[in-house]
Amino acid sequence: MVRTIITTIGSGLGLTLYSATAAAAWEVNLTPGVTDVSRSVFDLHMTIFWICVAIALVVFGVMFWSIFHHRKSRGAKAHNFHENTLVEVIWTIIPLAILVAMAVPATATLVQMYDSSEAELDIQVTGYQWKWRYDYLDHDLNFFSNLSTPREQITNEADKQEHYLLEVDRHLVVPVATKIRFLLTSNDVIHSWWVPALAVKKDAIPGFINEAWTVIDEPGIYRGQCAELCGKDHGFMPVVIEAVSQDDFQQWLADARAEKQSAAAAAERTWTLDELMQQGEQVYLRACAACHLPNGEGVPGAFPALKGSPIALGDVAGHIDIVLNGKSGTAMQAFRDQLSATELAAVITYERNAWGNSLGEAVSPVQIARLLEPSTGEAEQ
Amino acid sequence: MSTLETTLESHEHAHHGPAKGIGRWLFTTNHKDIGSMYLWFSLLMFFIGGCMALLIRAELFQPGLQLVEPGFFNQMTTMHGLIMVFGAVMPAFVGLANWMVPMMIGAPDMALPRMNNWSFWILPFAFAMLVSTLFMDGGAPNFGWTFYAPLSTTYAPPSVTYFIFAVHMMGISSIMGAINIIATILNMRTPGMTMMKLPLFCWTWLITAFLLIAVMPVLAGVVTMMLMDIHFGTSFFNAAGGGDPVLFQHVFWFFGHPEVYIMILPAFGIISHIIPTFARKPLFGYASMVYATASIAILSFLVWAHHMFTVGLPLVGELFFMFATMLIAVPTGVKVFNWVATMFRGSMTFETPMLFALAFVVLFTIGGFSGLMLAIAPVDFQYHDTYFVVAHFHYVLVPGAVFAIMAGVYYWLPKWTGHMLNETMGKLHFWISFIGVNITFFPMHFIGLAGMPRRIPDYALQFADFNMVASIGAFIFGLSQLIFLWNVIACVRGGRRAEARAWEGAEGLEWEVASPAPYHTFATPPKLPETPR
């Protein structure tokens, strides 16, 4: 224990030296951001800040002046006054006036932020424990965006890269100079979708839809995080939004659709057990290991173990069902929309053949693809 | 005055003293004994909650996961918050009220002494149950001290049921304590002590007690709704069953915002006694202090949704709660101005209680400024749920409420123990605490503005430097509290003998009785001294 602490402190001091050279490490203020709204928010922030500084100077000035001059050791004699209606009225009215002056621009900015009408692009943002799903509602396209920082960096076994914990496998790509409306909701608990550079923070609440909007001026990559405590990996679900030109956005849309089709085609071919195990491990680490742990042992009382579990070693139909449809009333999500048929088949195969679970049988992507066909989904509802 | 003391002493002989052994503490109905138990209990909780805070700061010392798993980190933030709010700050104020309210108003004891015993003895059981959840399967509550549904219902660990029961018990204890204080202040004031002559600590506690009675049942209601959702198939907070997760937040914060003032109004009272004493000058604007306290209490019921600016309230809702919240700055400002005006043209000395009181005025006001910034709804979208909020509420609660409690303890210790404090050690405690608290919490403003969310066990590299600074400050502040413990114990065990009026400028009935205060005081109502309050 003591040794851990000493190494921790030692490497901590090393890090201080390192990060002294890194950019923006001692950042002390809000970002002005890259939208009209974010700049008005920044201006409001600075205005109220300077008002507070001015009041502080006056109040603390009088206080320290008294502390210095009216002290017994300097022979100060105490006066006996303890009321003055005029003074008391004045120091009630003046703050009130300052507050009114502050409320006017704040109201104007708030009204602007609430006007999400006439959006040109609608994106549904859905919070999941612990990743984001983005649906381009007018473009028949959706995908999940997971943290892509390698586990080894988090556990200090590898050097941390520049965008440590603020990088994802798939960016939310949007066009610049376009009014984008975000429709926010959640699949499980309350999350909060926040991108500081856009001054957008809105809660994603299960069963309800919230609205927010933005118009981004400059192409670039803007990073944020989930802001509402949403469980164990709340600190590990960043938001990365990439603003590109209108042409690049159209190109990206086309590419994304083509990619989706090739994934569907992959499910049709025959996969060997080894191939499925190999891909299954990757999918497992990305989608399942957060709760069930990389060694399949789970967390007693919170997340069940898969190693030696009756479901992973039992009837394959039951195993497929719980992975595809989740278990209501628990943290086990439905993965049917999150993973492709191949990925689902691979991860189920992996769970039935890893960590000493050794059934030796493979679940084929074709089998899963059949279950995923739309008719199955409708029949359930 | 000498006649008063002799009457008291002759009375002392007529009564038997405290019982012997453990029975004295288990069955006592004496307000001084119960006050002491509340204060020791609160100190124990302060150290337990403090150790959790240090574990949190140790994990956040640098990026990456070093000491604890994220799940356990969440249990620590949750338990730290719950223990500090319900176990440390609130019982400390009840303890101070138990000791001081009867002595300040010239009453022999609290109005309801047996209920007083009960309201204390519930607490150790409530917190034993809460802390025991750490050892249960699935761990302790891990959903934050604000326990938002559905994270705290559908997705909660099984120990949530114990948490709910513990909250119920704390609530019952608080409500009984509040009823007792109201009954005592309204009925047992010595003849001639009109309401507008009531010492300010009693006034602020009276108003706090009404807040407690109003909102603790709301907290009990919200945890009961959770219990129903978890075990009895209701769907108050489950959208799939027709409920609304945001309803939870409305009910919780309807309790939660007045709760914030429950933790600060008695502190205002303490400071309003200490500053006049050491400035040797009556409190400026007594009447406006009373009215300001009452206004803050009333406004506290109208501002709860400023904790929820990002949940998607309608525009008019946001505007209403923004304006109402900004309005609170006015009465709070009046209080600060009054304290400064009390110091102005006084004859000040700077003993330990005064140092803590002055630090309170400055640092609480800084917390008030960040509160004003947070009230501006459009800007709050950037601050909400970041370390800026963490900095804000720690400024009002640690160098705010906690410093006021310490100031009060140092101020009244001579009355309780009969010994003066070792001033050198007191000042040492003050300066290390003052420096530590600012190194801990001031950088949190910066990392919050730079974009670090609260309640995360690991963070991006641009937040590393200030986090390290804050962690170092936390250990300085935390360890300096051992000096506080040493000071209190040393003062109980010995020291220079304290006069009845332990501080030169002290006014009030509590300074008319001997130090240490006899086991029974004011068996007959005292005459009010001629001196102004």
Side-chain angles (χ1 to χ4, degrees), chain B residues 181-263:
Chain B
I181 287 167
I182 293 173
T184 308
I185 293 177
L186 293 187
N187 295 307
M188 297 180 67
R189 298 188 315 279
T190 199
M193 183 177 278
T194 58
M195 286 308 273
M196 287 316 271
K197 283 185 181 170
L198 196 60
L200 258 175
F201 180 65
C202 300
W203 251 121
T204 54
W205 237 118
L206 181 68
I207 292 168
T208 303
F210 278 103
L211 287 182
L212 276 169
I213 289 182
V215 301
M216 290 315 277
V218 178
L219 176 67
V222 79
V223 294
T224 306
M225 288 155 96
M226 282 170 61
L227 187 78
M228 301 295 280
D229 272 12
I230 294 168
H231 292 295
F232 302 106
T234 58
S235 293
F236 288 110
F237 308 130
N238 179 2
D244 180 354
V246 178
L247 172 66
F248 173 90
Q249 298 182 28
H250 281 292
V251 183
F252 177 83
W253 285 114
F254 190 81
F255 147 78
H257 201 78
E259 168 68 19
V260 173
Y261 293 113
I262 287 167
M263 290 191 285

Side-chain angles (χ1 to χ4, degrees), chain A residues 8 12 19 25 45 70 72 76 78-79 82 88 91 99 114 154 156 164 194 196 201 203 210 227-228 231 300, chain B residues 62 65 74 138 280 282 285 288 310-311 313 318 326 338 345 347-348 381-385 458 462 465 468 504:
Chain A
T8 308
S19 53
H45 159 72
H70 304 150
K72 199 182 174 196
H79 287 228
H82 52 84
E88 292 176 58
W91 71 36
L99 289 177
Y114 261 69
I154 296 172
N156 310 307
Y164 176 70
W194 180 32
K201 182 187 287 147
D203 290 0
N210 266 334
E228 180 64 63
Chain B
Q62 57 174 332
L65 295 176
N74 288 344
R280 292 168 182 76
S288 68
T310 64
V311 299
L313 300 174
E318 301 257 323
M326 292 168 81
N338 280 341
R345 295 209 176 284
S347 170
M348 277 192 271
F381 293 146
Q382 292 285 46
Y383 305 146
H384 181 79
D385 267 332
D458 192 4
Q462 67 261 38
D465 297 329
M468 189 174 288
E504 189 188 20

Side-chain angles (χ1 to χ4, degrees), chain A residues 211-228:
Chain A
E211 284 187 7
W213 66 272
T214 193
V215 178
I216 303 174
D217 297 342
E218 296 170 34
I221 295 178
Y222 307 108
R223 295 167 200 273
Q225 284 179 268
C226 176
E228 180 64 63

